Amino acid sequence: MTSRTAEESRPSVVINGERFRIFLDRQTIERRVRDLGEAISRDYEGRRPIFIGVLNGAFIFLADLMRHVSIDCEVDFIKLSSYGAERISSGRVTELKRIDAHIEGRDVIVVEDIVDSGLSMAFIMELLETHHPASIATAVMLHKPDALKTEVKLDYVGFHIENRFVLGYGLDYAQNGRHLADLYILDEDG
Ligand code: IMP
Ligand code: MG
């Protein structure tokens, strides 16, 4: 077995038979995630927010983000139904794993890998509101403004990107590619 941690960024990868080229390298991501963590630490000074990570995609972003947060905080997870093996959003969202934490009166920060159509985030916000948190904010690694189908409140956004399929840094293509440390974009030219 070879060590992955020492691996350099690769200019392109083939995942499930499709070629993807590098879009955001790990250093660029790391710097931006640190900025977001520091901003959250400032904005929530004196409070104790609870991060709600959206499984599976947000797990890497959430882990990195939290390590740049310098105030007291907690974490919990929610899981929604996924795209299946498709690259296009089905638009149908259901809850597969509920949160365990009691969030009434708490400051909640929902952490997502990407807001595409916005339907997942809108669904989560509506669901969490029923638990009467003191506040709800959102932290998303990526946002595709051109794909948005519903209005969502985005408080902390890593990068605004074009409306193309991406993977790596937690994001998958039919469950593969989440492990890649850099972010890759579908190469339309193959
Ligand atoms: P939305 O409900 O359309 O905003 O989609 C949200 C979910 O779709 C995200 O949490 C991702 O898991 C997935 N998703 C959206 N766009 C991409 C992409 O470009 N690559 C990988 N997953 C994506
Ligand atoms: Mg997701």
Side-chain angles (χ1 to χ4, degrees), residues 54-58 112-114 120 171-172 178:
V54 184
L55 294 172
N56 293 336
E112 253 286 38
D113 52 359
I114 186 165
S120 308
L171 291 108
D172 72 305
R178 294 192 196 276

mmCIF file with all atom_site columns, all heavy atoms in Angstrom, residues 54-58 112-114 120 171-172 178, ligand 2:
data_model
loop_
_atom_site.group_PDB
_atom_site.id
_atom_site.type_symbol
_atom_site.label_atom_id
_atom_site.label_alt_id
_atom_site.label_comp_id
_atom_site.label_asym_id
_atom_site.label_entity_id
_atom_site.label_seq_id
_atom_site.pdbx_PDB_ins_code
_atom_site.Cartn_x
_atom_site.Cartn_y
_atom_site.Cartn_z
_atom_site.occupancy
_atom_site.B_iso_or_equiv
_atom_site.pdbx_formal_charge
_atom_site.auth_seq_id
_atom_site.auth_comp_id
_atom_site.auth_asym_id
_atom_site.auth_atom_id
_atom_site.pdbx_PDB_model_num
ATOM   1  N  N   . VAL A 1 54  ? -24.394 17.719 6.901  1.00 0.00 ? 54  VAL A N   1
ATOM   2  C  CA  . VAL A 1 54  ? -25.298 16.961 6.037  1.00 0.00 ? 54  VAL A CA  1
ATOM   3  C  C   . VAL A 1 54  ? -24.498 15.825 5.390  1.00 0.00 ? 54  VAL A C   1
ATOM   4  O  O   . VAL A 1 54  ? -23.605 16.057 4.579  1.00 0.00 ? 54  VAL A O   1
ATOM   5  C  CB  . VAL A 1 54  ? -25.931 17.881 4.962  1.00 0.00 ? 54  VAL A CB  1
ATOM   6  C  CG1 . VAL A 1 54  ? -26.953 17.101 4.136  1.00 0.00 ? 54  VAL A CG1 1
ATOM   7  C  CG2 . VAL A 1 54  ? -26.579 19.107 5.607  1.00 0.00 ? 54  VAL A CG2 1
ATOM   8  N  N   . LEU A 1 55  ? -24.823 14.601 5.803  1.00 0.00 ? 55  LEU A N   1
ATOM   9  C  CA  . LEU A 1 55  ? -24.122 13.410 5.294  1.00 0.00 ? 55  LEU A CA  1
ATOM   10 C  C   . LEU A 1 55  ? -24.588 13.060 3.884  1.00 0.00 ? 55  LEU A C   1
ATOM   11 O  O   . LEU A 1 55  ? -25.734 13.320 3.560  1.00 0.00 ? 55  LEU A O   1
ATOM   12 C  CB  . LEU A 1 55  ? -24.388 12.225 6.225  1.00 0.00 ? 55  LEU A CB  1
ATOM   13 C  CG  . LEU A 1 55  ? -23.786 12.366 7.640  1.00 0.00 ? 55  LEU A CG  1
ATOM   14 C  CD1 . LEU A 1 55  ? -24.273 11.233 8.531  1.00 0.00 ? 55  LEU A CD1 1
ATOM   15 C  CD2 . LEU A 1 55  ? -22.266 12.407 7.578  1.00 0.00 ? 55  LEU A CD2 1
ATOM   16 N  N   . ASN A 1 56  ? -23.724 12.452 3.028  1.00 0.00 ? 56  ASN A N   1
ATOM   17 C  CA  . ASN A 1 56  ? -22.357 12.144 3.351  1.00 0.00 ? 56  ASN A CA  1
ATOM   18 C  C   . ASN A 1 56  ? -21.389 13.264 2.949  1.00 0.00 ? 56  ASN A C   1
ATOM   19 O  O   . ASN A 1 56  ? -20.288 13.372 3.494  1.00 0.00 ? 56  ASN A O   1
ATOM   20 C  CB  . ASN A 1 56  ? -21.913 10.877 2.600  1.00 0.00 ? 56  ASN A CB  1
ATOM   21 C  CG  . ASN A 1 56  ? -22.643 9.629  3.080  1.00 0.00 ? 56  ASN A CG  1
ATOM   22 O  OD1 . ASN A 1 56  ? -23.128 9.565  4.198  1.00 0.00 ? 56  ASN A OD1 1
ATOM   23 N  ND2 . ASN A 1 56  ? -22.736 8.638  2.208  1.00 0.00 ? 56  ASN A ND2 1
ATOM   24 N  N   . GLY A 1 57  ? -21.798 14.052 1.983  1.00 0.00 ? 57  GLY A N   1
ATOM   25 C  CA  . GLY A 1 57  ? -20.887 14.979 1.309  1.00 0.00 ? 57  GLY A CA  1
ATOM   26 C  C   . GLY A 1 57  ? -20.135 15.965 2.184  1.00 0.00 ? 57  GLY A C   1
ATOM   27 O  O   . GLY A 1 57  ? -19.024 16.356 1.866  1.00 0.00 ? 57  GLY A O   1
ATOM   28 N  N   . ALA A 1 58  ? -20.761 16.392 3.308  1.00 0.00 ? 58  ALA A N   1
ATOM   29 C  CA  . ALA A 1 58  ? -20.170 17.474 4.103  1.00 0.00 ? 58  ALA A CA  1
ATOM   30 C  C   . ALA A 1 58  ? -19.095 17.008 5.077  1.00 0.00 ? 58  ALA A C   1
ATOM   31 O  O   . ALA A 1 58  ? -18.476 17.828 5.745  1.00 0.00 ? 58  ALA A O   1
ATOM   32 C  CB  . ALA A 1 58  ? -21.264 18.218 4.863  1.00 0.00 ? 58  ALA A CB  1
ATOM   33 N  N   . GLU A 1 112 ? -23.083 22.117 4.618  1.00 0.00 ? 112 GLU A N   1
ATOM   34 C  CA  . GLU A 1 112 ? -23.305 21.343 3.398  1.00 0.00 ? 112 GLU A CA  1
ATOM   35 C  C   . GLU A 1 112 ? -22.073 21.411 2.499  1.00 0.00 ? 112 GLU A C   1
ATOM   36 O  O   . GLU A 1 112 ? -21.347 22.414 2.516  1.00 0.00 ? 112 GLU A O   1
ATOM   37 C  CB  . GLU A 1 112 ? -24.483 21.939 2.626  1.00 0.00 ? 112 GLU A CB  1
ATOM   38 C  CG  . GLU A 1 112 ? -25.754 21.126 2.658  1.00 0.00 ? 112 GLU A CG  1
ATOM   39 C  CD  . GLU A 1 112 ? -25.711 19.873 1.802  1.00 0.00 ? 112 GLU A CD  1
ATOM   40 O  OE1 . GLU A 1 112 ? -24.670 19.197 1.724  1.00 0.00 ? 112 GLU A OE1 1
ATOM   41 O  OE2 . GLU A 1 112 ? -26.754 19.555 1.215  1.00 0.00 ? 112 GLU A OE2 1
ATOM   42 N  N   . ASP A 1 113 ? -21.864 20.377 1.706  1.00 0.00 ? 113 ASP A N   1
ATOM   43 C  CA  . ASP A 1 113 ? -20.783 20.409 0.730  1.00 0.00 ? 113 ASP A CA  1
ATOM   44 C  C   . ASP A 1 113 ? -21.093 21.399 -0.388 1.00 0.00 ? 113 ASP A C   1
ATOM   45 O  O   . ASP A 1 113 ? -20.255 22.200 -0.769 1.00 0.00 ? 113 ASP A O   1
ATOM   46 C  CB  . ASP A 1 113 ? -20.498 19.004 0.159  1.00 0.00 ? 113 ASP A CB  1
ATOM   47 C  CG  . ASP A 1 113 ? -21.735 18.290 -0.370 1.00 0.00 ? 113 ASP A CG  1
ATOM   48 O  OD1 . ASP A 1 113 ? -22.850 18.843 -0.304 1.00 0.00 ? 113 ASP A OD1 1
ATOM   49 O  OD2 . ASP A 1 113 ? -21.584 17.148 -0.855 1.00 0.00 ? 113 ASP A OD2 1
ATOM   50 N  N   . ILE A 1 114 ? -22.321 21.343 -0.904 1.00 0.00 ? 114 ILE A N   1
ATOM   51 C  CA  . ILE A 1 114 ? -22.660 22.170 -2.066 1.00 0.00 ? 114 ILE A CA  1
ATOM   52 C  C   . ILE A 1 114 ? -24.149 22.488 -2.093 1.00 0.00 ? 114 ILE A C   1
ATOM   53 O  O   . ILE A 1 114 ? -24.969 21.652 -1.715 1.00 0.00 ? 114 ILE A O   1
ATOM   54 C  CB  . ILE A 1 114 ? -22.231 21.451 -3.375 1.00 0.00 ? 114 ILE A CB  1
ATOM   55 C  CG1 . ILE A 1 114 ? -22.423 22.340 -4.609 1.00 0.00 ? 114 ILE A CG1 1
ATOM   56 C  CG2 . ILE A 1 114 ? -22.936 20.123 -3.554 1.00 0.00 ? 114 ILE A CG2 1
ATOM   57 C  CD1 . ILE A 1 114 ? -21.702 21.825 -5.851 1.00 0.00 ? 114 ILE A CD1 1
ATOM   58 N  N   . SER A 1 120 ? -32.334 20.652 -1.287 1.00 0.00 ? 120 SER A N   1
ATOM   59 C  CA  . SER A 1 120 ? -31.936 19.946 -0.060 1.00 0.00 ? 120 SER A CA  1
ATOM   60 C  C   . SER A 1 120 ? -31.844 20.933 1.103  1.00 0.00 ? 120 SER A C   1
ATOM   61 O  O   . SER A 1 120 ? -32.362 20.673 2.187  1.00 0.00 ? 120 SER A O   1
ATOM   62 C  CB  . SER A 1 120 ? -30.578 19.264 -0.226 1.00 0.00 ? 120 SER A CB  1
ATOM   63 O  OG  . SER A 1 120 ? -30.562 18.461 -1.369 1.00 0.00 ? 120 SER A OG  1
ATOM   64 N  N   . LEU A 1 171 ? -17.222 15.365 -2.066 1.00 0.00 ? 171 LEU A N   1
ATOM   65 C  CA  . LEU A 1 171 ? -18.288 15.228 -3.073 1.00 0.00 ? 171 LEU A CA  1
ATOM   66 C  C   . LEU A 1 171 ? -18.025 14.008 -3.950 1.00 0.00 ? 171 LEU A C   1
ATOM   67 O  O   . LEU A 1 171 ? -16.881 13.751 -4.345 1.00 0.00 ? 171 LEU A O   1
ATOM   68 C  CB  . LEU A 1 171 ? -18.356 16.473 -3.954 1.00 0.00 ? 171 LEU A CB  1
ATOM   69 C  CG  . LEU A 1 171 ? -18.849 17.722 -3.240 1.00 0.00 ? 171 LEU A CG  1
ATOM   70 C  CD1 . LEU A 1 171 ? -17.722 18.690 -3.026 1.00 0.00 ? 171 LEU A CD1 1
ATOM   71 C  CD2 . LEU A 1 171 ? -19.967 18.380 -4.017 1.00 0.00 ? 171 LEU A CD2 1
ATOM   72 N  N   . ASP A 1 172 ? -19.092 13.302 -4.289 1.00 0.00 ? 172 ASP A N   1
ATOM   73 C  CA  . ASP A 1 172 ? -18.952 12.043 -5.014 1.00 0.00 ? 172 ASP A CA  1
ATOM   74 C  C   . ASP A 1 172 ? -19.584 12.083 -6.395 1.00 0.00 ? 172 ASP A C   1
ATOM   75 O  O   . ASP A 1 172 ? -20.410 12.945 -6.708 1.00 0.00 ? 172 ASP A O   1
ATOM   76 C  CB  . ASP A 1 172 ? -19.634 10.924 -4.235 1.00 0.00 ? 172 ASP A CB  1
ATOM   77 C  CG  . ASP A 1 172 ? -21.156 11.052 -4.290 1.00 0.00 ? 172 ASP A CG  1
ATOM   78 O  OD1 . ASP A 1 172 ? -21.668 12.132 -3.922 1.00 0.00 ? 172 ASP A OD1 1
ATOM   79 O  OD2 . ASP A 1 172 ? -21.831 10.101 -4.731 1.00 0.00 ? 172 ASP A OD2 1
ATOM   80 N  N   . ARG A 1 178 ? -14.951 10.762 -3.282 1.00 0.00 ? 178 ARG A N   1
ATOM   81 C  CA  . ARG A 1 178 ? -15.036 11.611 -2.081 1.00 0.00 ? 178 ARG A CA  1
ATOM   82 C  C   . ARG A 1 178 ? -13.670 11.799 -1.418 1.00 0.00 ? 178 ARG A C   1
ATOM   83 O  O   . ARG A 1 178 ? -13.417 12.783 -0.733 1.00 0.00 ? 178 ARG A O   1
ATOM   84 C  CB  . ARG A 1 178 ? -15.969 10.981 -1.029 1.00 0.00 ? 178 ARG A CB  1
ATOM   85 C  CG  . ARG A 1 178 ? -17.421 10.892 -1.441 1.00 0.00 ? 178 ARG A CG  1
ATOM   86 C  CD  . ARG A 1 178 ? -18.269 10.537 -0.232 1.00 0.00 ? 178 ARG A CD  1
ATOM   87 N  NE  . ARG A 1 178 ? -19.601 10.069 -0.574 1.00 0.00 ? 178 ARG A NE  1
ATOM   88 C  CZ  . ARG A 1 178 ? -20.643 10.853 -0.814 1.00 0.00 ? 178 ARG A CZ  1
ATOM   89 N  NH1 . ARG A 1 178 ? -20.509 12.162 -0.787 1.00 0.00 ? 178 ARG A NH1 1
ATOM   90 N  NH2 . ARG A 1 178 ? -21.822 10.336 -1.108 1.00 0.00 ? 178 ARG A NH2 1
HETATM 91 MG MG  . MG  B 2 .   ? -24.822 16.384 0.040  1.00 0.00 ? 2   MG  B MG  1
#
